Amino acid sequence: MKMAYVKQGDHMRPIKILYIISSLRRCGPTTVLLNIMNSLDRKLFEVRVMTLSPEGSDSLASTVQDAGFKIYFGNCDRLRGLYSVRRHILAVIDQFQPDITHSHGVRPDIINAFVNNKTVTFSTIHNSLNGVYKLKYGKLTGEMMDILQLAAIKRIRYPVACAKTLAEELKSNYGINTAIVSNGIDLSVFNGTSTKTKKELLIELNLPDASLVFVTSGALTAWKDPFLIMNAFTASAIGKKAVLVICGDGPLREACQKQVAGNPRIYFTGNVCNIKSYLMAADYFISASKIEGLPNAVLEAMACYLPVILSDIPAHREILAYDYRAGILFDQAHSENLIRTLDNLDFITSDTGLYARKVIKNHFSKEIMTGKYAALYEMACSQSDRERGLWPKA
């Protein structure tokens, strides 16, 4: 990569980037952002973060600060007007004077696109604009969010899709060209090794010493469809001797626990900060998501040598396309399809986990992801490229 500096007077200085995110709660986009920030060369890039909303109990703000990054905290909840947010971002831009503002999420995209006209704008699109928000917020609110984010993305100078399938959707449905930078995870954390045996981990996590352990992780929401996993596991033959561990929290948790109350083989952990321990204690990872951008949970599981059992959706196909020996896809239209998959795990060999790890190492590391972003940042700050309006086509 060329030297990522910009000229200021007679001197060259690092490219200054301000990341905009609603909050630093523990979730996929925050993890992606933290991986980018930690991997950028600090001699070439000066990075800071601006949030819009107050932090909750599951915030990673202290992790960001401990890594040496300044945060401009916002205090604007979702019900407050644009005026407060406008004052916040303009004050931060005037103080920091970034070259690039890079937004992650609906509200940050709207602010970046419509309030800020002083910087080169980037956005990473993490979700499809064709379903997630309707499932999360209801039809009317979800459609309005889709419309607002689409309008914002069209005004962002450099939109980036986190997956090839997402870029194809944006191009074919909305005529938007994006760069493609796949999510990348920290392989030094999700290294697939532990100083403890599986039995020791199960004891530490208060789980039974079962012959087989299935794990799923993520928000308990309609689009993750935890009911499908629970129903199939309960109805399967393997569910009579294995254990299912559900890591995560969300609006469906109470209903999920009520449905399987009395089943001693299904465990709910809530949100956890030691997901690696659960992955290392497991034998298989399951996701029944109806829609995804590019799921970090799947990437983390595969990095820990876990064979994956995944719903047949574009994001999952994109991951396994690099090596279908790393897992299996099932049609989530009916629970019987997952039941049959659970009871016929013949696709698993002693090398399946190795194939899974190799896919992540070769295609989804944070170093690969950050290298692509760094190149895009430098290109965007190049005056000649900016004048020509060049941008990679999906």
Side-chain angles (χ1 to χ4, degrees):
M1 193 185 79
K2 297 179 289 184
M3 296 299 287
Y5 291 101
V6 293
K7 188 172 184 180
Q8 183 169 341
D10 296 330
H11 306 284
M12 300 298 289
R13 61 164 175 78
I15 292 175
K16 299 167 77 171
I17 304 171
L18 177 67
Y19 291 106
I20 309 171
I21 193 166
S22 289
S23 74
L24 292 166
R25 70 180 182 88
R26 189 184 300 274
C27 64
T30 303
T31 301
V32 168
L33 175 55
L34 190 56
N35 283 338
I36 296 170
M37 293 166 61
N38 280 328
S39 301
L40 285 172
D41 189 334
R42 299 193 191 190
K43 295 178 181 178
L44 306 179
F45 299 94
E46 183 181 353
V47 172
R48 298 183 186 181
V49 183
M50 187 188 90
T51 64
L52 304 181
S53 300
E55 297 298 317
S57 58
D58 60 346
S59 173
L60 290 173
S62 60
T63 302
V64 174
Q65 291 173 318
D66 290 345
F69 300 108
K70 181 176 177 61
I71 304 172
Y72 300 97
F73 289 102
N75 195 33
C76 305
D77 61 38
R78 297 179 190 278
L79 299 178
R80 294 179 66 178
L82 181 63
Y83 180 69
S84 296
V85 180
R86 181 178 183 276
R87 285 194 308 170
H88 180 42
I89 187 173
L90 292 180
V92 170
I93 289 175
D94 285 343
Q95 180 181 342
F96 181 39
Q97 296 187 347
D99 304 294
I100 292 170
T101 48
H102 186 161
S103 50
H104 295 257
V106 181
R107 285 195 303 151
D109 282 349
I110 294 170
I111 299 302
N112 200 15
F114 292 102
V115 175
N116 165 42
N117 61 2
K118 298 182 178 182
T119 70
V120 177
T121 53
F122 271 72
S123 167
T124 294
I125 301 105
H126 293 275
N127 293 308
S128 168
L129 273 67
N130 190 28
V132 168
Y133 301 127
K134 296 185 187 72
L135 289 169
K136 186 174 183 179
Y137 298 107
K139 185 176 186 296
L140 184 61
T141 302
E143 287 180 351
M144 181 60 67
M145 292 180 69
D146 284 341
I147 292 169
L148 289 173
Q149 188 170 29
L150 178 60
I153 292 170
K154 287 182 175 180
R155 288 176 62 96
I156 295 288
R157 178 169 258 163
Y158 298 118
V160 181
C162 73
K164 294 177 183 177
T165 49
L166 188 52
E168 291 166 359
E169 174 194 311
L170 290 165
K171 175 62 177 177
S172 61
N173 292 353
Y174 310 108
I176 298 174
N177 286 323
T178 68
I180 302 168
V181 180
S182 299
N183 290 345
I185 65 168
D186 189 342
L187 291 175
S188 67
V189 174
F190 295 96
N191 53 20
T193 64
S194 174
T195 58
K196 299 176 181 178
T197 65
K198 176 183 174 180
K199 185 173 183 178
E200 290 171 335
L201 285 170
L202 290 171
I203 293 172
E204 180 183 286
L205 299 171
N206 294 316
L207 297 172
D209 187 13
S211 58
L212 288 176
V213 177
F214 294 85
V215 66
T216 184
S217 66
L220 299 182
T221 57
W223 66 90
K224 298 286 187 181
D225 205 355
F227 290 109
L228 174 58
I229 296 175
M230 293 187 305
N231 292 339
F233 181 82
T234 301
S236 67
I238 205 168
K240 308 298 186 294
K241 58 183 178 180
V243 165
L244 172 63
V245 182
I246 301 174
C247 298
D249 209 338
L252 296 183
R253 181 175 177 178
E254 185 177 348
C256 288
Q257 289 180 304
K258 183 178 181 180
Q259 178 164 313
V260 297
N263 188 332
R265 295 193 170 275
I266 299 181
Y267 292 79
F268 293 86
T269 69
N271 289 328
V272 298
C273 58
N274 60 335
I275 187 63
K276 179 191 170 185
S277 295
Y278 287 92
L279 296 175
M280 293 303 300
D283 300 286
Y284 304 95
F285 179 89
I286 308 177
S287 172
S289 291
K290 298 176 181 179
I291 191 168
E292 291 280 4
L294 194 72
N296 285 331
V298 174
L299 304 182
E300 291 166 358
M302 292 174 67
C304 290
Y305 295 93
L306 279 187
V308 289
I309 302 168
L310 307 175
S311 52
D312 189 5
I313 60 174
H316 291 159
R317 290 197 296 271
E318 179 173 335
I319 295 170
L320 287 186
Y322 286 103
D323 194 334
Y324 278 101
R325 296 174 296 180
I328 191 168
L329 298 168
F330 67 90
D331 183 351
Q332 74 272 38
H334 302 287
S335 61
E336 290 80 5
N337 297 322
L338 180 53
I339 294 170
R340 285 194 295 270
T341 301
L342 294 176
D343 285 335
N344 294 277
L345 295 174
D346 298 336
F347 79 97
I348 302 298
T349 70
S350 59
D351 293 328
T352 303
L354 295 174
Y355 298 135
R357 171 75 181 186
K358 187 175 180 181
V359 167
I360 305 306
K361 182 179 179 181
N362 290 344
H363 303 284
F364 299 105
S365 73
K366 70 174 185 176
E367 290 79 13
I368 294 173
M369 172 183 67
T370 305
K372 292 180 180 179
Y373 272 118
L376 293 176
Y377 292 150
E378 184 187 358
M379 184 276 293
C381 287
S382 165
Q383 185 66 30
S384 59
D385 281 346
R386 212 184 323 168
E387 288 177 344
R388 289 197 300 266
L390 296 180
W391 193 235
K393 292 184 179 181

